[in-house]
Amino acid sequence: MSSSNEDIVDRLRAGDERAFAELVDRYSPSMLAVARTHVASREIAEDVVQDTWLALLKGIDRFEGRSSLQTWMFRVLVNIAKTRGVREKRSTPVDMHAAAQRPTSGPENFRSGDDPWPDHWVRFPAPWRESPEHRLLSAEALDLVRCELAQLPEQQRIVVTLRDVHGYGSDEVCALLALTATNQRVLLHRGRTRVRDALADYFAST
């Protein structure tokens, strides 16, 4: 267990409320994103995240440090989310459940709205920082980025958000979302391309 990992674990075990608040602020958005891949609504995903934080507080004394605290938290999150997702499917009438699902006729079906991360596009994605667009970004352009991100197919949106907004590495995203490396790359490429094309059109018209 790394020294930084040991420090945060020790602080949590000592009841340090500031340490817990720091974790909540840092990881809740990405935890919500991952939870949304397993449950039907944002509200249920928020419940899953809350349950995960409670599990962390109750289980921190049993944490053995065989993995990072972050990895452990997300494993707990995914287990809770999967269990909740199965339970919700069993309790939801078939017609309502079908209506709640996004179209599945192909990977490029886009859905608007229901953006789980309305306020977390805090910086331009690192792979694009050398582009001319970066130097010209305005509030209007950032609004466009948020809009395009919200309209991506769910898996693309989550992968792009985890990679480019929250800074997770490809291996971490594959582990969190149970994706193959190839699938993760394809989703990331398609999502980035959609957002980048929208920005190119925007700057061409200004």
Side-chain angles (χ1 to χ4, degrees), residues 62-143:
R62 298 190 299 275
F63 176 66
E64 298 178 352
R66 295 177 182 175
S67 62
S68 70
L69 182 63
Q70 173 186 324
T71 299
W72 182 67
M73 287 191 308
F74 275 93
R75 284 175 182 166
V76 173
L77 174 85
V78 169
N79 287 336
I80 294 173
K82 286 182 176 179
T83 300
R84 184 66 182 268
V86 170
R87 188 168 76 231
E88 293 297 326
K89 286 180 181 179
R90 287 174 178 170
S91 63
T92 303
V94 174
D95 56 339
M96 291 179 63
H97 179 72
Q101 305 306 303
R102 63 185 174 88
T104 57
S105 57
E108 296 306 322
N109 285 309
F110 298 105
R111 96 185 196 185
S112 61
D114 193 29
D115 180 9
W117 319 280
D119 299 312
H120 296 286
W121 189 277
V122 294
R123 67 181 184 275
F124 206 65
W128 304 333
R129 280 181 180 152
E130 298 306 315
S131 67
E133 293 97 320
H134 175 63
R135 296 190 297 271
L136 299 173
L137 270 179
S138 63
E140 186 177 75
L142 287 174
D143 286 341

Side-chain angles (χ1 to χ4, degrees), residues 12-195:
L12 289 171
R13 286 173 175 165
D16 188 333
E17 294 183 3
R18 181 174 293 182
F20 181 67
E22 289 172 1
L23 284 179
V24 170
D25 288 342
R26 185 184 307 169
Y27 292 113
S28 284
S30 50
M31 290 169 73
L32 184 63
V34 173
R36 278 293 280 121
T37 66
H38 298 285
V39 299
S41 71
R42 178 186 172 88
E43 290 73 20
I44 298 173
E46 289 173 344
D47 288 344
V48 168
V49 173
Q50 286 278 71
D51 289 346
T52 302
W53 289 124
L54 290 174
L56 170 68
L57 292 176
K58 293 178 180 179
I60 191 62
D61 287 336
R62 298 190 299 275
F63 176 66
E64 298 178 352
R66 295 177 182 175
S67 62
S68 70
L69 182 63
Q70 173 186 324
T71 299
W72 182 67
M73 287 191 308
F74 275 93
R75 284 175 182 166
V76 173
L77 174 85
V78 169
N79 287 336
I80 294 173
K82 286 182 176 179
T83 300
R84 184 66 182 268
V86 170
R87 188 168 76 231
E88 293 297 326
K89 286 180 181 179
R90 287 174 178 170
S91 63
T92 303
V94 174
D95 56 339
M96 291 179 63
H97 179 72
Q101 305 306 303
R102 63 185 174 88
T104 57
S105 57
E108 296 306 322
N109 285 309
F110 298 105
R111 96 185 196 185
S112 61
D114 193 29
D115 180 9
W117 319 280
D119 299 312
H120 296 286
W121 189 277
V122 294
R123 67 181 184 275
F124 206 65
W128 304 333
R129 280 181 180 152
E130 298 306 315
S131 67
E133 293 97 320
H134 175 63
R135 296 190 297 271
L136 299 173
L137 270 179
S138 63
E140 186 177 75
L142 287 174
D143 286 341
L144 174 64
V145 168
R146 294 187 184 100
C147 180
E148 290 300 321
L149 188 61
Q151 294 183 56
L152 292 177
E154 186 172 62
Q155 284 286 79
Q156 288 182 27
R157 187 173 71 223
I158 290 170
V159 169
V160 173
T161 299
L162 290 175
R163 288 294 308 277
D164 291 338
V165 180
H166 299 300
Y168 285 87
S170 58
D171 291 342
E172 291 177 298
V173 172
C174 288
L176 293 175
L177 303 181
L179 297 172
T180 65
T182 299
N183 197 6
Q184 189 267 163
R185 284 196 298 270
V186 170
L187 290 167
L188 181 65
H189 172 73
R190 290 178 177 174
R192 282 177 173 172
T193 298
R194 167 82 182 227
V195 177

